[in-house]
Amino acid sequence: MDWFVEYYNGCGLTIKVRRKIYEVSGVQKIEIYETESFGKMLVIDGKIQLTEFDEAIYHEMLVHVPMLSHTHPKKVAIIGGGDGGALREVLKHDVDRAVLVDIDRNVIDLCRKYVGIDERAFDDERVEVVISDGKEFLANCERFDVVIVDSTDPVGVSDTLFDKEFFEFAAKKCDVFCCQSQSPLVQKEYFKILIENSRVFEKRRVYTSCIPTYPLALWSFIIAGNFDFDRLEERFERLRGKTKHYNPEVHRAAFALPEWLKKEVE
Ligand code: SAM
């Protein structure tokens, strides 16, 4: 029995692991563990990406908030998200097409084989997988109803998903945009860059959720574009499949920001 530790800003999260299931170094260093209490865990370049214990909170808040803030999303792009958790949630909506764009095929293949949180989403005939840098894809793609960014921290291959040009492409290519925007407590520098770059959208808002295995648990998201929170209950009723965490009350409550965070956003 061993311990996995992720360090950030002078502290760290320690998780007891039973065994390492797989490790490979390619585009990114990918490790998959079986943990003592949190189920399987995906780690990329030393950072926890998901555990089975709390991934539903993250993926449901990342996906259902933008999807249900759009009147009728039919065409959706997920940038990153190779583990398939966001894709699984997108397919609960009445979409015609879901394109998942990830730079690293290993994440998709290994998560399908050893983690399985996609629940066979990749086999769905509405799904198309593109192996590419997300920014390059957005520069040249057709328009989508919703674009969702499920990226790693902005170091290494994912830094393109955090720059201004990426947001400029996104603003032209979708009605509703949503990205995870890191920890506003211990990753302020990343959070500020995303807030700044999201100014290319006229309308945008920050929301938060508690994801226990992400740095200090408080996690942030940015929704932008032509979104509204009208008829959330009616839209939620139409969802195929249940949610573990998301509901319209949680959706609205997630936008209530404490004073210190309002200041950061302003
Ligand atoms: N939600 C997780 C988090 O915040 O820790 C991220 C999960 S998901 C596994 C992140 C995915 O983004 C990975 O599969 C990675 O390969 C992908 N990714 C990183 N940089 C990318 C880029 N430039 N274009 C497309 N996908 C990228």
Side-chain angles (χ1 to χ4, degrees), residues 28 49 58 83 102-103 107 133-134 150-152 157-158 160 214:
Q28 304 166 107
Q49 303 295 306
Y58 171 78
D83 52 71
D102 201 293
I103 201 162
V107 179
D133 169 62
D150 184 10
S151 61
T152 44
V157 288
S158 69
T160 57
Y214 284 174

Side-chain angles (χ1 to χ4, degrees), residues 139-253:
N140 303 302
C141 68
E142 79 260 50
R143 210 179 147 78
F144 288 87
D145 297 321
V146 178
V147 168
I148 294 166
V149 186
D150 184 10
S151 61
T152 44
D153 289 7
V155 276
V157 288
S158 69
D159 58 2
T160 57
L161 308 182
F162 286 71
D163 70 26
K164 190 154 178 228
E165 215 181 6
F166 175 75
F167 279 81
E168 284 166 356
F169 293 145
K172 286 186 195 133
K173 294 294 170 75
C174 64
D175 298 338
V176 175
F177 171 87
C178 187
C179 65
Q180 67 87 15
S181 47
Q182 310 281 150
S183 162
L185 279 173
V186 283
Q187 297 174 322
K188 277 192 183 165
E189 67 285 18
Y190 301 156
F191 180 67
K192 280 183 181 161
I193 290 170
L194 291 166
I195 291 292
E196 189 54 37
N197 291 344
S198 66
R199 282 181 198 280
V200 297
F201 291 91
E202 224 170 84
K203 187 174 157 194
R204 72 215 161 101
R205 282 186 73 179
V206 169
Y207 63 100
T208 62
S209 192
C210 178
I211 325 285
T213 59
Y214 284 174
L216 295 190
L218 182 70
W219 209 246
S220 70
F221 305 82
I222 299 170
I223 185 170
N226 191 14
F227 61 91
D228 70 69
F229 302 161
D230 304 339
R231 300 187 288 113
L232 282 183
E233 280 73 12
E234 196 187 308
R235 293 174 185 172
F236 182 53
E237 281 286 302
R238 293 202 295 257
L239 213 62
R240 298 173 190 161
K242 293 209 182 326
T243 52
K244 285 187 184 149
H245 182 81
Y246 175 94
N247 61 39
E249 292 111 286
V250 167
H251 181 135
R252 292 196 179 91

Side-chain angles (χ1 to χ4, degrees), residues 64 68 72 74 88-96 124 126 235-243:
H64 300 312
L68 294 172
H72 212 168
K74 286 287 182 188
R88 175 195 72 210
E89 295 305 318
V90 163
L91 295 179
K92 289 181 181 169
H93 297 257
D94 182 26
V95 294
D96 291 338
D124 193 294
R126 294 169 291 171
R235 293 174 185 172
F236 182 53
E237 281 286 302
R238 293 202 295 257
L239 213 62
R240 298 173 190 161
K242 293 209 182 326
T243 52

